[in-house]
Amino acid sequence: MNKTLLQASIIAAFLSTSSAWAQQTDGNWMVRVRALHLEPANKSDAGNGQSGITSTVLPSDAISVNNKWIPEVDVSYFFTKNIAAELVLTVPQKQDVTITKGPLAGTKAGTFKHLPPSLLLQYHFMPDATFRPYVGAGVNYTRISSVHLDGLNAVTGTSSDLEHSSWGAALQAGFDVKLDAHSYINFDVKKVYIKADLKVGGNTVSTVNVDPILWGVGYGYRF
């Protein structure tokens, strides 16, 4: 009888230890690397007449920023099984600017670079499952630099520039698929709100709402 009780106690202790170990396999930190396809919304105001840039010269939605693939690294910290914060990082990205409507249609206006880190708070719906969907919301800050709008300058006969910073909301939905104790495949989509004023001759003539959708796929490691 005592031997049976001892064996039962050993088995119970083993199961308890195994259960505790299983719960600890998911650490608080997660690092992901993603490939993102950036698709700008390309919404812009019509020219307001300043510096001679009227709505006829620059119709609404005439300013276009190109689509492109970009790399992303993000770091997440899980406060609980369900709640995490994610910091999204990349390197400065070069984009082309083209005028697509009005008398300037086809003009290659120039290029700029942007660095758009985001910080999001996430809710993970099924944190213990193999398939783990989540949603997130937060804030984006975009730093715009290396603005060279030489094509537009040649047409207008004066200097052009873009506003150099933008604050906006960031929304997110996605899911992780657990492969083993630490590895995950990730699919993710974000909507990021980015806007900048276009200035010609020192005057703001239009506001450009880039507002891209970012489609992502990548690998995650949790520890």
Side-chain angles (χ1 to χ4, degrees), residues 19-37:
S19 177
W21 178 85
Q23 291 176 3
Q24 292 171 4
T25 56
D26 288 338
N28 294 99
W29 293 95
M30 188 170 190
V31 177
R32 299 184 187 88
V33 290
R34 296 187 182 113
L36 299 183
H37 191 250

mmCIF file of all heavy atoms in Angstrom, residues 19-37:
data_model
loop_
_atom_site.group_PDB
_atom_site.id
_atom_site.type_symbol
_atom_site.label_atom_id
_atom_site.label_comp_id
_atom_site.label_asym_id
_atom_site.label_seq_id
_atom_site.Cartn_x
_atom_site.Cartn_y
_atom_site.Cartn_z
ATOM 1 N N SER A 19 3.830 19.992 -16.086
ATOM 2 C CA SER A 19 2.839 21.027 -16.376
ATOM 3 C C SER A 19 3.433 22.412 -16.174
ATOM 4 O O SER A 19 3.236 23.316 -16.987
ATOM 5 C CB SER A 19 1.617 20.843 -15.472
ATOM 6 O OG SER A 19 0.688 21.869 -15.677
ATOM 7 N N ALA A 20 4.194 22.570 -15.075
ATOM 8 C CA ALA A 20 4.815 23.870 -14.809
ATOM 9 C C ALA A 20 5.827 24.206 -15.898
ATOM 10 O O ALA A 20 5.916 25.343 -16.369
ATOM 11 C CB ALA A 20 5.494 23.845 -13.439
ATOM 12 N N TRP A 21 6.614 23.186 -16.336
ATOM 13 C CA TRP A 21 7.584 23.427 -17.402
ATOM 14 C C TRP A 21 6.893 23.835 -18.688
ATOM 15 O O TRP A 21 7.323 24.742 -19.389
ATOM 16 C CB TRP A 21 8.403 22.161 -17.626
ATOM 17 C CG TRP A 21 9.402 22.312 -18.742
ATOM 18 C CD1 TRP A 21 10.647 22.830 -18.675
ATOM 19 C CD2 TRP A 21 9.199 21.954 -20.120
ATOM 20 N NE1 TRP A 21 11.254 22.808 -19.893
ATOM 21 C CE2 TRP A 21 10.383 22.277 -20.805
ATOM 22 C CE3 TRP A 21 8.138 21.378 -20.828
ATOM 23 C CZ2 TRP A 21 10.545 22.055 -22.161
ATOM 24 C CZ3 TRP A 21 8.291 21.162 -22.170
ATOM 25 C CH2 TRP A 21 9.486 21.496 -22.836
ATOM 26 N N ALA A 22 5.759 23.172 -18.992
ATOM 27 C CA ALA A 22 5.019 23.484 -20.227
ATOM 28 C C ALA A 22 4.527 24.921 -20.209
ATOM 29 O O ALA A 22 4.538 25.610 -21.215
ATOM 30 C CB ALA A 22 3.844 22.523 -20.387
ATOM 31 N N GLN A 23 4.100 25.398 -19.014
ATOM 32 C CA GLN A 23 3.600 26.758 -18.923
ATOM 33 C C GLN A 23 4.728 27.769 -19.071
ATOM 34 O O GLN A 23 4.503 28.901 -19.472
ATOM 35 C CB GLN A 23 2.885 26.954 -17.583
ATOM 36 C CG GLN A 23 1.581 26.176 -17.464
ATOM 37 C CD GLN A 23 0.949 26.331 -16.090
ATOM 38 O OE1 GLN A 23 1.447 27.047 -15.240
ATOM 39 N NE2 GLN A 23 -0.153 25.634 -15.885
ATOM 40 N N GLN A 24 5.962 27.345 -18.741
ATOM 41 C CA GLN A 24 7.074 28.274 -18.781
ATOM 42 C C GLN A 24 7.780 28.297 -20.127
ATOM 43 O O GLN A 24 8.698 29.077 -20.320
ATOM 44 C CB GLN A 24 8.076 27.906 -17.675
ATOM 45 C CG GLN A 24 7.528 28.135 -16.270
ATOM 46 C CD GLN A 24 8.451 27.570 -15.198
ATOM 47 O OE1 GLN A 24 9.530 27.076 -15.500
ATOM 48 N NE2 GLN A 24 8.007 27.627 -13.956
ATOM 49 N N THR A 25 7.404 27.403 -21.051
ATOM 50 C CA THR A 25 8.081 27.370 -22.347
ATOM 51 C C THR A 25 7.838 28.651 -23.137
ATOM 52 O O THR A 25 8.659 29.021 -23.957
ATOM 53 C CB THR A 25 7.634 26.156 -23.178
ATOM 54 O OG1 THR A 25 6.207 26.179 -23.315
ATOM 55 C CG2 THR A 25 8.081 24.871 -22.521
ATOM 56 N N ASP A 26 6.716 29.314 -22.919
ATOM 57 C CA ASP A 26 6.452 30.591 -23.570
ATOM 58 C C ASP A 26 7.016 31.703 -22.688
ATOM 59 O O ASP A 26 6.444 32.037 -21.648
ATOM 60 C CB ASP A 26 4.947 30.803 -23.771
ATOM 61 C CG ASP A 26 4.387 29.906 -24.857
ATOM 62 O OD1 ASP A 26 5.169 29.462 -25.706
ATOM 63 O OD2 ASP A 26 3.179 29.659 -24.848
ATOM 64 N N GLY A 27 8.149 32.291 -23.094
ATOM 65 C CA GLY A 27 8.760 33.364 -22.315
ATOM 66 C C GLY A 27 8.032 34.678 -22.507
ATOM 67 O O GLY A 27 7.069 34.790 -23.272
ATOM 68 N N ASN A 28 8.522 35.704 -21.823
ATOM 69 C CA ASN A 28 7.901 37.026 -21.894
ATOM 70 C C ASN A 28 8.315 37.811 -23.133
ATOM 71 O O ASN A 28 7.626 38.753 -23.528
ATOM 72 C CB ASN A 28 8.250 37.840 -20.651
ATOM 73 C CG ASN A 28 7.659 37.256 -19.392
ATOM 74 O OD1 ASN A 28 8.339 36.561 -18.645
ATOM 75 N ND2 ASN A 28 6.387 37.502 -19.143
ATOM 76 N N TRP A 29 9.446 37.450 -23.733
ATOM 77 C CA TRP A 29 9.966 38.207 -24.872
ATOM 78 C C TRP A 29 9.768 37.447 -26.178
ATOM 79 O O TRP A 29 9.849 36.226 -26.216
ATOM 80 C CB TRP A 29 11.452 38.480 -24.685
ATOM 81 C CG TRP A 29 11.755 39.415 -23.557
ATOM 82 C CD1 TRP A 29 12.076 39.083 -22.275
ATOM 83 C CD2 TRP A 29 11.766 40.844 -23.614
ATOM 84 N NE1 TRP A 29 12.280 40.212 -21.525
ATOM 85 C CE2 TRP A 29 12.099 41.309 -22.324
ATOM 86 C CE3 TRP A 29 11.527 41.773 -24.632
ATOM 87 C CZ2 TRP A 29 12.198 42.672 -22.029
ATOM 88 C CZ3 TRP A 29 11.626 43.124 -24.340
ATOM 89 C CH2 TRP A 29 11.958 43.563 -23.055
ATOM 90 N N MET A 30 9.518 38.218 -27.239
ATOM 91 C CA MET A 30 9.415 37.627 -28.571
ATOM 92 C C MET A 30 10.028 38.593 -29.581
ATOM 93 O O MET A 30 9.756 39.802 -29.546
ATOM 94 C CB MET A 30 7.958 37.347 -28.943
ATOM 95 C CG MET A 30 7.792 36.562 -30.233
ATOM 96 S SD MET A 30 6.071 36.024 -30.447
ATOM 97 C CE MET A 30 6.231 34.895 -31.822
ATOM 98 N N VAL A 31 10.860 38.063 -30.450
ATOM 99 C CA VAL A 31 11.465 38.846 -31.527
ATOM 100 C C VAL A 31 11.014 38.262 -32.856
ATOM 101 O O VAL A 31 11.071 37.047 -33.053
ATOM 102 C CB VAL A 31 13.002 38.825 -31.430
ATOM 103 C CG1 VAL A 31 13.620 39.580 -32.603
ATOM 104 C CG2 VAL A 31 13.466 39.435 -30.108
ATOM 105 N N ARG A 32 10.552 39.124 -33.738
ATOM 106 C CA ARG A 32 10.135 38.678 -35.070
ATOM 107 C C ARG A 32 10.928 39.420 -36.139
ATOM 108 O O ARG A 32 11.287 40.591 -35.961
ATOM 109 C CB ARG A 32 8.639 38.929 -35.312
ATOM 110 C CG ARG A 32 7.679 38.214 -34.374
ATOM 111 C CD ARG A 32 6.253 38.485 -34.822
ATOM 112 N NE ARG A 32 5.237 37.987 -33.914
ATOM 113 C CZ ARG A 32 4.747 38.673 -32.877
ATOM 114 N NH1 ARG A 32 5.210 39.901 -32.642
ATOM 115 N NH2 ARG A 32 3.806 38.157 -32.111
ATOM 116 N N VAL A 33 11.147 38.749 -37.243
ATOM 117 C CA VAL A 33 11.648 39.402 -38.456
ATOM 118 C C VAL A 33 10.597 39.167 -39.534
ATOM 119 O O VAL A 33 10.100 38.049 -39.689
ATOM 120 C CB VAL A 33 13.027 38.869 -38.891
ATOM 121 C CG1 VAL A 33 14.096 39.320 -37.926
ATOM 122 C CG2 VAL A 33 13.027 37.353 -39.011
ATOM 123 N N ARG A 34 10.262 40.227 -40.241
ATOM 124 C CA ARG A 34 9.204 40.135 -41.249
ATOM 125 C C ARG A 34 9.655 40.768 -42.565
ATOM 126 O O ARG A 34 10.471 41.691 -42.583
ATOM 127 C CB ARG A 34 7.930 40.868 -40.798
ATOM 128 C CG ARG A 34 7.225 40.328 -39.584
ATOM 129 C CD ARG A 34 5.900 41.067 -39.392
ATOM 130 N NE ARG A 34 5.163 40.654 -38.205
ATOM 131 C CZ ARG A 34 4.944 41.429 -37.143
ATOM 132 N NH1 ARG A 34 5.434 42.652 -37.116
ATOM 133 N NH2 ARG A 34 4.243 40.988 -36.115
ATOM 134 N N ALA A 35 9.076 40.288 -43.644
ATOM 135 C CA ALA A 35 9.124 40.978 -44.932
ATOM 136 C C ALA A 35 7.758 41.645 -45.101
ATOM 137 O O ALA A 35 6.723 40.980 -44.983
ATOM 138 C CB ALA A 35 9.387 39.998 -46.061
ATOM 139 N N LEU A 36 7.771 42.948 -45.360
ATOM 140 C CA LEU A 36 6.521 43.713 -45.470
ATOM 141 C C LEU A 36 6.356 44.264 -46.873
ATOM 142 O O LEU A 36 7.318 44.749 -47.479
ATOM 143 C CB LEU A 36 6.524 44.895 -44.498
ATOM 144 C CG LEU A 36 6.625 44.628 -43.001
ATOM 145 C CD1 LEU A 36 6.543 45.943 -42.239
ATOM 146 C CD2 LEU A 36 5.521 43.696 -42.544
ATOM 147 N N HIS A 37 5.117 44.217 -47.358
ATOM 148 C CA HIS A 37 4.795 44.900 -48.611
ATOM 149 C C HIS A 37 4.032 46.165 -48.266
ATOM 150 O O HIS A 37 2.940 46.114 -47.690
ATOM 151 C CB HIS A 37 3.957 44.023 -49.538
ATOM 152 C CG HIS A 37 3.837 44.606 -50.907
ATOM 153 N ND1 HIS A 37 2.656 45.130 -51.400
ATOM 154 C CD2 HIS A 37 4.746 44.780 -51.893
ATOM 155 C CE1 HIS A 37 2.838 45.592 -52.611
ATOM 156 N NE2 HIS A 37 4.095 45.387 -52.945
#
